[in-house]
Amino acid sequence: KQEVTQIPAALSVPEGENLVLNCSFTDSAIYNLQWFRQDPGKGLTSLLLIQSSQREQTSGRLNASLDKSSGRSTLYIAASQPGDSATYLCAGNSNSGYALNFGKGTSLLVTP
Amino acid sequence: NAGVTQTPKFQVLKTGQSMTLQCAQDMNHNSMYWYRQDPGMGLRLIYYSASEGTTDKGEVPNGYNVSRLNKREFSLRLESAAPSQTSVYFCASSDSRARIQTQYFGPGTRLLVL
């Protein structure tokens, strides 16, 4: 089973800062690594998915990287905004079509 | 496209009562999943269905049953609810035949068992 860990559990930064959220996983044979955003009381919104053959994916101010050899993924958020405040979840699976194993998330607060 | 829809949004049950959580997707996905989310525990897989007609247990299946009614619908049933089943339940779907297998989530069902 893919064990996923996210550090830190909570993070508070002033608006405009660039920041990095960390995710580590135990099985280097990862198939997909997916980053989600969850707002309080809401469902999960997919941000980025990195396939095992890829090193990174970018969408707007977000960049996610994957290093299978070290068992790590990072989510980079550039020029953070108060609207980025949410919980960010990292999840991976070890084969096609398999369910995701989730980390417990990083709760991000961006202050004006 | 509505994506993944779940009903009900909220439910309060008494211990021992039964209920079915409904999930439907309109993206023609073959794989569907049920997760529960608890504070401090993250999301954990209850059951999944790789294709119509098949279901498999996940990490925390005890106390639940599922039905993959057709390709679109995947229901989760609590036969005799217990307070430990108080949680937020999420349904998700993906296309395991696709090159990019993003999982899409529904808005969740918040369940309180008294």
Side-chain angles (χ1 to χ4, degrees):
Chain A
K1 178 191 170 186
Q2 192 67 262
E3 300 286 344
V4 180
T5 304
Q6 291 186 249
I7 296 173
L11 180 64
S12 180
V13 300
E15 181 177 7
E17 276 204 5
N18 302 324
L19 59 100
V20 174
L21 306 180
N22 295 297
C23 172
S24 61
F25 48 91
T26 54
D27 186 356
S28 62
I30 193 162
Y31 190 80
N32 285 322
L33 193 291
Q34 197 165 350
W35 282 93
F36 295 88
R37 168 184 174 139
Q38 185 175 29
D39 293 287
K42 303 295 184 181
L44 281 68
T45 300
S46 179
L47 297 174
L48 291 164
L49 181 147
I50 310 176
Q51 297 172 278
S52 60
S53 59
Q54 298 174 321
R55 296 295 297 269
E56 65 178 354
Q57 283 287 327
T58 298
S59 175
R61 294 183 293 109
L62 305 180
N63 175 277
S65 67
L66 175 65
D67 184 342
K68 292 194 298 180
S69 61
S70 66
R72 295 180 64 184
S73 176
T74 61
L75 179 66
Y76 175 83
I77 302 177
S80 59
Q81 303 171 359
D84 294 329
S85 298
T87 296
Y88 291 81
L89 297 165
C90 167
N93 60 5
S94 299
N95 211 334
S96 172
Y98 277 32
L100 292 168
N101 293 298
F102 280 83
K104 295 180 181 179
T106 294
S107 178
L108 173 65
L109 177 64
V110 181
T111 56
Chain B
N1 285 353
V4 180
T5 57
Q6 293 182 236
T7 56
K9 293 183 178 178
F10 304 95
Q11 185 70 49
V12 178
L13 292 178
K14 294 180 180 178
T15 297
Q17 288 185 317
S18 62
M19 78 162 295
T20 299
L21 282 65
Q22 306 286 355
C23 174
Q25 52 89 12
D26 62 1
M27 296 174 282
N28 200 35
H29 288 169
N30 58 326
S31 298
M32 297 186 73
Y33 314 86
W34 276 106
Y35 297 88
R36 60 179 287 174
Q37 185 176 35
D38 303 291
M41 299 295 293
L43 277 90
R44 294 177 293 169
L45 181 69
I46 305 171
Y47 271 93
Y48 70 99
S49 172
S51 62
E52 185 179 352
T54 68
T55 59
D56 286 284
K57 295 179 180 179
E59 182 182 355
V60 288
N62 291 344
Y64 306 95
N65 285 300
V66 290
S67 295
R68 183 74 182 267
L69 304 170
N70 47 56
K71 191 171 188 179
R72 290 186 64 251
E73 298 172 290
F74 188 37
S75 63
L76 178 71
R77 183 162 178 83
L78 287 69
E79 291 291 351
S80 179
S84 61
Q85 294 178 305
T86 293
S87 188
V88 182
Y89 292 85
F90 289 102
C91 177
S93 71
S94 67
D95 184 352
S96 64
R97 303 156 301 179
R99 185 175 64 84
I100 300 174
Q101 299 176 10
T102 303
Q103 280 198 20
Y104 296 92
F105 281 73
T109 293
R110 285 151 183 79
L111 176 65
L112 173 62
V113 183
L114 301 174

